[in-house]
Amino acid sequence: MVRLTVPRVLMAVLGALLLAYAFAVAPATLPGSRDDARSDRLARAEPNSVATAEAEAVAATESSPPPAEPSPSPPPGPQLFPPAGKAFIGVMTHKGPYDFAAVDAFAKAAKRQPQVMLFGAGWASDRFDRKLFDRISGRGMLPMLGWEPWDYGVDAAAREKGTPRRQIDKIRSNQARYQLSRITRGDFDGYLWSWAKGIKSLGYPVAVRFAHEMNGDWYPWCEMSNGNRPGDYVKAWRHVHDVFRAVGVSNVIWVWSPNANWSGQTTKLATLYPGDGYVDWVGVTGYYGTGAFAKYRSFDAIFNETIEEIRTFTKKPLVITETGASDSSGRKAEWIKQTFQMLPAHKDIIGLVWFEVDKERDWRIANSPAAATAFAKAVAAPRYDFTWSPDLLPRTELDD
């Protein structure tokens, strides 16, 4: 048994006091206590979080590019002629831009202002005349020049004598001066240059239908007549085109225009095609009421075979460059109505030129109330409702 003494009691009391101090006082003040840790965290983290946010904001301002100003809207693309999904109506008259009476009569009968006017010029006697083009464009129509390397006086003289038609064809086509080889070798270059410079000076588009119906035998530029040989037509076309290019002409729409095939003996069109680099529009001429098409044949029956052949070698926009209907069988109005019902199915046809002339047959609509009514009703469709202006860009490629 432990004996209690005064020293031992004093030591026990002192030990108890020390133990109480260790548990009650020291934890609140010793380094590493909970309160010290919290205070230390506040002292280090809270001020630094503000500084960090400010620094990050400054860094973001300095490293980020300034806000971009809104970019202007791109300018609208060029307006095309004809617009997408549309087709123009053209007209050709006997006196052309020398007298617009027939054009006015046609427009009145059709209740539609044509957007294109075709007129002819022969190399033997016609010189460039700006007034003719300006008269047409001033009336809101694209001028289309039928440019013909021949002397049309020979044809006129034969008609006045009452010469039979096929005999006229032989007389007309036999003009040695205008053989294709002479065009290619440059015999007419001075004449070509004068027209090229004149057309360039116009400053607005002009369609040039050069040496049309070349697949026949009734013009001196046909390969089947006038001593011409296979391949001569393409060479002549390219030469004429190259002269215009050398002059710097950029406002010509080159229109290549054969006749609708009428027999299995017709020259293959691919051999007469100058190539897409030399042609902007392809065309076809065809009439109901004459020649091989004297009996009633619909638009498709007359044109489809030729169009299908053309589509084997080019996809250029297509124009019916001359057409008309005779009333000799009393079906002119019917043909017009049926034609305009068929046209919308031909998405590649961008225009049709009506031959408003009394020549061999009376093709005019202005002198036939029934034909005029049928034509006016047909072209009242929105497909033909637009205008031509000199600032429009000619459509030279088809939409996909």
Side-chain angles (χ1 to χ4, degrees):
M1 172 174 190
V2 179
R3 184 181 178 185
L4 295 174
T5 62
V6 173
R8 286 179 178 174
V9 170
L10 290 173
M11 290 182 63
V13 171
L14 180 61
L17 290 173
L18 290 173
L19 183 62
Y21 175 83
F23 283 96
V25 178
T29 57
L30 288 175
S33 68
R34 237 174 359 206
D35 288 344
D36 282 348
R38 179 177 178 274
S39 298
D40 185 61
R41 280 200 306 272
L42 290 174
R44 288 184 291 104
E46 290 180 2
N48 285 348
S49 65
V50 174
T52 301
E54 291 176 350
E56 290 175 352
V58 171
T61 302
E62 291 177 350
S63 62
S64 300
E69 295 182 2
S71 57
S73 300
Q79 299 298 305
L80 297 180
F81 176 82
K86 303 276 190 176
F88 66 75
I89 297 299
V91 65
M92 183 177 186
T93 64
H94 178 63
K95 295 184 178 180
Y98 294 97
D99 185 343
F100 284 93
V103 176
D104 293 339
F106 173 84
K108 182 178 179 181
K111 298 181 181 179
R112 169 76 69 196
Q113 169 68 28
Q115 299 101 338
V116 172
M117 183 175 182
L118 171 64
F119 73 104
W123 287 19
S125 55
D126 291 316
R127 300 293 179 265
F128 176 79
D129 185 350
R130 182 185 181 111
K131 294 191 297 294
L132 302 179
F133 294 89
D134 286 346
R135 287 172 186 166
I136 296 173
S137 65
R139 283 175 162 254
M141 296 181 289
L142 168 73
M144 181 183 289
L145 170 68
W147 210 25
E148 304 166 0
W150 67 317
D151 180 359
Y152 54 72
V154 174
D155 178 84
R159 291 178 186 278
E160 289 180 3
K161 295 179 180 178
T163 307
R165 179 180 172 185
R166 284 303 291 168
Q167 185 63 29
I168 292 176
D169 289 346
K170 292 180 180 180
I171 295 171
R172 178 204 298 129
S173 64
N174 186 25
Q175 299 187 38
R177 171 173 169 75
Y178 297 99
Q179 285 182 340
L180 293 169
S181 60
R182 298 197 64 191
I183 297 173
T184 303
R185 76 187 184 195
D187 290 5
F188 297 93
D189 279 6
Y191 183 75
L192 300 180
W193 275 77
S194 67
W195 277 82
K197 291 177 180 178
I199 291 176
K200 180 181 179 181
S201 71
L202 293 174
Y204 53 77
V206 171
V208 175
R209 184 181 70 151
F210 171 66
H212 63 293
E213 300 174 22
M214 77 299 292
N215 58 328
D217 62 0
W218 49 83
Y219 287 123
W221 55 80
C222 297
E223 286 190 349
M224 292 190 292
S225 63
N226 205 27
N228 298 317
R229 296 176 296 179
D232 281 351
Y233 183 83
V234 168
K235 293 176 184 177
W237 177 289
R238 291 179 175 177
H239 181 80
V240 172
H241 184 280
D242 289 345
V243 169
F244 274 65
R245 179 180 292 170
V247 175
V249 182
S250 60
N251 58 321
V252 166
I253 307 163
W254 293 96
V255 184
W256 178 82
S257 177
N259 197 77
N261 290 338
W262 66 94
S263 75
Q265 303 302 315
T266 305
T267 304
K268 297 300 181 183
L269 296 179
T271 66
L272 299 170
Y273 187 64
D276 283 356
Y278 291 85
V279 174
D280 300 302
W281 292 350
V282 292
V284 185
T285 296
Y287 293 81
Y288 152 58
T290 186
F293 310 127
K295 294 183 179 179
Y296 189 87
R297 295 181 69 182
S298 70
F299 175 90
D300 282 351
I302 293 172
F303 288 98
N304 274 4
E305 179 184 348
T306 307
I307 292 174
E308 289 171 2
E309 183 179 356
I310 289 172
R311 288 301 175 228
T312 64
F313 55 82
T314 182
K315 301 302 181 184
K316 287 291 185 178
L318 193 143
V319 177
I320 303 302
T321 42
E322 280 185 47
T323 195
S326 166
D327 213 9
S328 57
S329 300
R331 303 183 70 179
K332 184 173 186 174
E334 178 186 351
W335 191 87
I336 291 171
K337 178 182 178 180
Q338 187 181 41
T339 290
F340 281 95
Q341 288 173 340
M342 292 177 170
L343 276 176
H346 295 272
K347 304 300 184 183
D348 55 343
I349 295 180
I350 63 169
L352 176 148
V353 179
W354 189 265
F355 193 64
E356 187 71 2
V357 178
D358 183 2
K359 176 186 175 185
E360 299 164 347
R361 302 283 191 279
D362 191 348
W363 310 105
R364 297 172 297 175
I365 65 168
N367 76 321
S368 169
T373 298
F375 200 97
K377 184 176 182 180
V379 301
R383 187 169 190 257
Y384 309 102
D385 188 15
F386 61 97
T387 58
W388 175 82
S389 65
D391 58 340
L392 295 179
L393 183 67
R395 180 182 296 279
T396 58
E397 301 293 340
L398 293 171
D399 293 331
D400 294 334

